[in-house]
Short mmCIF file of all heavy atoms in Angstrom, two decimals:
data_model
loop_
_atom_site.label_atom_id
_atom_site.label_comp_id
_atom_site.label_asym_id
_atom_site.label_seq_id
_atom_site.Cartn_x
_atom_site.Cartn_y
_atom_site.Cartn_z
N ALA A 538 27.34 -84.64 77.83
CA ALA A 538 26.03 -85.23 77.53
C ALA A 538 24.91 -84.25 77.89
O ALA A 538 23.78 -84.65 78.13
CB ALA A 538 25.86 -86.55 78.28
N GLY A 539 25.25 -82.96 77.93
CA GLY A 539 24.24 -81.93 78.24
C GLY A 539 23.55 -81.46 76.97
O GLY A 539 23.55 -82.16 75.94
N GLY A 540 23.00 -80.25 77.04
CA GLY A 540 22.21 -79.72 75.93
C GLY A 540 23.00 -79.57 74.63
O GLY A 540 22.52 -79.97 73.56
N VAL A 541 24.22 -79.04 74.72
CA VAL A 541 25.01 -78.82 73.50
C VAL A 541 25.47 -80.17 72.92
O VAL A 541 25.45 -80.38 71.70
CB VAL A 541 26.21 -77.89 73.79
CG1 VAL A 541 27.12 -77.76 72.58
CG2 VAL A 541 25.70 -76.50 74.20
N ASN A 560 31.06 -89.08 78.72
CA ASN A 560 30.66 -88.07 79.70
C ASN A 560 31.12 -88.48 81.10
O ASN A 560 31.19 -89.67 81.42
CB ASN A 560 29.14 -87.91 79.69
CG ASN A 560 28.69 -86.73 80.52
OD1 ASN A 560 29.23 -85.63 80.35
ND2 ASN A 560 27.74 -86.92 81.40
N ARG A 561 31.45 -87.47 81.89
CA ARG A 561 31.90 -87.73 83.26
C ARG A 561 30.87 -88.59 84.00
O ARG A 561 31.21 -89.58 84.62
CB ARG A 561 32.11 -86.38 83.97
CG ARG A 561 32.54 -86.49 85.39
CD ARG A 561 32.69 -85.11 85.98
NE ARG A 561 31.42 -84.37 86.00
CZ ARG A 561 31.26 -83.17 86.53
NH1 ARG A 561 32.29 -82.55 87.07
NH2 ARG A 561 30.10 -82.56 86.51
N THR A 562 29.62 -88.22 83.89
CA THR A 562 28.56 -89.03 84.53
C THR A 562 28.06 -90.04 83.49
O THR A 562 27.39 -89.68 82.52
CB THR A 562 27.40 -88.11 85.00
OG1 THR A 562 27.96 -87.08 85.82
CG2 THR A 562 26.35 -88.88 85.78
N ARG A 565 24.36 -90.42 82.12
CA ARG A 565 23.85 -89.41 81.17
C ARG A 565 24.31 -89.72 79.75
O ARG A 565 23.57 -89.53 78.79
CB ARG A 565 24.32 -88.01 81.58
CG ARG A 565 23.58 -87.44 82.75
CD ARG A 565 24.01 -86.01 83.01
NE ARG A 565 23.29 -85.05 82.20
CZ ARG A 565 23.63 -83.77 82.07
NH1 ARG A 565 24.71 -83.32 82.70
NH2 ARG A 565 22.93 -82.96 81.33
N CYS A 594 31.88 -80.63 74.35
CA CYS A 594 30.60 -80.02 74.74
C CYS A 594 30.47 -80.01 76.26
O CYS A 594 29.36 -79.91 76.79
CB CYS A 594 29.43 -80.78 74.14
SG CYS A 594 29.45 -80.81 72.35
N THR A 595 31.59 -80.13 76.96
CA THR A 595 31.57 -79.95 78.41
C THR A 595 31.93 -78.49 78.68
O THR A 595 32.36 -77.76 77.78
CB THR A 595 32.59 -80.84 79.14
OG1 THR A 595 33.90 -80.31 78.91
CG2 THR A 595 32.53 -82.29 78.69
N SER A 596 31.80 -78.10 79.93
CA SER A 596 32.18 -76.72 80.28
C SER A 596 33.64 -76.64 80.73
O SER A 596 34.08 -75.58 81.18
CB SER A 596 31.25 -76.19 81.36
OG SER A 596 31.13 -77.14 82.39
N MET A 599 36.30 -73.52 80.50
CA MET A 599 35.60 -72.23 80.47
C MET A 599 36.09 -71.35 81.62
O MET A 599 36.48 -71.87 82.66
CB MET A 599 34.10 -72.54 80.68
CG MET A 599 33.17 -71.46 80.32
SD MET A 599 31.51 -72.20 80.28
CE MET A 599 30.81 -71.46 81.70
N THR A 622 33.38 -76.13 71.86
CA THR A 622 32.19 -75.25 71.86
C THR A 622 32.27 -74.15 72.92
O THR A 622 31.51 -73.19 72.88
CB THR A 622 30.88 -76.05 72.09
OG1 THR A 622 30.87 -76.58 73.41
CG2 THR A 622 30.72 -77.16 71.07
N GLY A 645 34.20 -72.09 69.66
CA GLY A 645 32.86 -71.84 70.18
C GLY A 645 32.29 -70.52 69.68
O GLY A 645 31.07 -70.39 69.53
N PHE A 649 28.73 -69.92 68.13
CA PHE A 649 27.81 -68.98 68.80
C PHE A 649 27.28 -67.95 67.80
O PHE A 649 26.08 -67.66 67.76
CB PHE A 649 28.51 -68.29 69.98
CG PHE A 649 27.57 -67.51 70.84
CD1 PHE A 649 26.63 -68.14 71.64
CD2 PHE A 649 27.59 -66.12 70.85
CE1 PHE A 649 25.74 -67.43 72.43
CE2 PHE A 649 26.71 -65.39 71.63
CZ PHE A 649 25.79 -66.04 72.42
P1 NAP Y 870 25.07 -78.65 80.44
O1 NAP Y 870 23.81 -79.20 79.87
O2 NAP Y 870 25.08 -78.15 81.83
O3 NAP Y 870 26.21 -79.79 80.33
C1 NAP Y 870 27.48 -79.62 80.86
C2 NAP Y 870 28.35 -80.82 80.50
O4 NAP Y 870 29.67 -80.56 80.98
C3 NAP Y 870 27.88 -82.11 81.15
O5 NAP Y 870 28.08 -83.16 80.24
C4 NAP Y 870 28.82 -82.22 82.35
O6 NAP Y 870 29.06 -83.54 82.76
C5 NAP Y 870 30.09 -81.67 81.77
N1 NAP Y 870 31.03 -81.23 82.79
C6 NAP Y 870 30.89 -80.15 83.60
N2 NAP Y 870 31.97 -80.04 84.41
C7 NAP Y 870 32.80 -81.10 84.10
C8 NAP Y 870 34.05 -81.51 84.59
N3 NAP Y 870 34.68 -80.84 85.56
N4 NAP Y 870 34.60 -82.59 84.03
C9 NAP Y 870 33.97 -83.26 83.05
N5 NAP Y 870 32.79 -82.92 82.54
C10 NAP Y 870 32.20 -81.84 83.07
O7 NAP Y 870 25.61 -77.47 79.55
P2 NAP Y 870 25.42 -77.22 77.97
O8 NAP Y 870 24.29 -76.31 77.76
O9 NAP Y 870 25.43 -78.53 77.26
O10 NAP Y 870 26.75 -76.39 77.66
C11 NAP Y 870 28.03 -77.01 77.70
C12 NAP Y 870 29.08 -76.00 77.27
O11 NAP Y 870 28.89 -75.67 75.91
C13 NAP Y 870 28.99 -74.67 78.02
O12 NAP Y 870 29.80 -74.71 79.15
C14 NAP Y 870 29.44 -73.63 77.02
O13 NAP Y 870 30.81 -73.33 77.22
C15 NAP Y 870 29.27 -74.32 75.69
N6 NAP Y 870 28.22 -73.66 74.89
C16 NAP Y 870 28.58 -73.15 73.70
C17 NAP Y 870 27.66 -72.54 72.89
C18 NAP Y 870 28.09 -71.97 71.59
O14 NAP Y 870 27.24 -71.46 70.85
N7 NAP Y 870 29.36 -72.00 71.26
C19 NAP Y 870 26.32 -72.44 73.30
C20 NAP Y 870 25.97 -72.98 74.53
C21 NAP Y 870 26.94 -73.59 75.31
P3 NAP Y 870 28.11 -84.24 83.89
O15 NAP Y 870 26.93 -84.77 83.15
O16 NAP Y 870 28.99 -85.28 84.46
O17 NAP Y 870 27.76 -83.17 84.86
#
Side-chain angles (χ1 to χ4, degrees):
V541 174
N560 189 49
R561 179 181 62 176
T562 307
R565 284 185 85 192
C594 300
T595 73
S596 48
M599 196 167 110
T622 67
F649 190 70

